[in-house]
Amino acid sequence: QAHLVESGGDSVQAGGSLKLSCAVSDYGLLRPCMAWFHQAPGQAREGVAAIDPTSGRTYYSYSVKGRFTISQDNARNTVYLQMDSLKSEDTGMYYCAAVSSSAYCLSIRTARYQYWGQGTQVTVSS
């Protein structure tokens, strides 16, 4: 099964930027489809961005479109989330997730994903 480790979370001022990383290992022969999720304090986990590892196509939630960019470095088995123009409502834990079935690529539905990292904390102060 895939093993995911996030890093890059930090505290920043509103309007600032952060880049999160997710190192993926032990995924077997098929490169999994990947996504990033955000969980604000006291709220449900929500998908914000997804990427198809084969085509490079991406999908974003309305709340982050134009501000966040998901990307991948296949040589490093790493997926990134570049976060720009950060807002206080972006505060929370960020999780990367993987699913082996290509049928679920580009989904940002939590239930589609099999493997999860431990999360990394992002705090945006205004």
Side-chain angles (χ1 to χ4, degrees):
Q1 66 182 46
H3 183 60
L4 287 66
V5 179
E6 302 98 332
S7 61
D10 206 343
S11 296
V12 296
Q13 294 284 328
S17 297
L18 278 177
K19 188 173 186 177
L20 307 183
S21 299
C22 175
V24 187
S25 60
D26 303 324
Y27 53 80
L29 295 178
L30 297 178
R31 191 175 301 277
C33 299
M34 302 293 299
W36 283 95
F37 292 78
H38 170 228
Q39 187 165 20
Q43 298 189 23
R45 195 172 299 185
E46 296 181 335
V48 296
I51 188 166
D52 182 327
T54 301
S55 67
R57 289 169 57 210
T58 57
Y59 181 83
Y60 299 93
S61 68
Y62 177 80
S63 62
V64 307
K65 194 170 185 179
R67 300 189 299 121
F68 290 10
T69 303
I70 187 171
S71 62
Q72 60 189 6
D73 182 338
N74 290 338
R76 297 176 181 270
N77 294 329
T78 301
V79 176
Y80 302 99
L81 186 68
Q82 176 67 44
M83 310 165 67
D84 298 318
S85 302
L86 282 161
K87 306 175 181 179
S88 57
E89 51 262 44
D90 296 321
T91 292
M93 289 291 288
Y94 282 79
Y95 300 88
C96 67
V99 59
S100 55
S101 172
S102 60
Y104 298 142
C105 261
L106 301 182
S107 171
I108 54 171
R109 294 180 61 184
T110 308
R112 300 293 193 193
Y113 287 82
Q114 300 166 278
Y115 309 111
W116 294 83
Q118 82 290 346
T120 187
Q121 176 69 37
V122 172
T123 303
V124 184
S125 56
S126 56

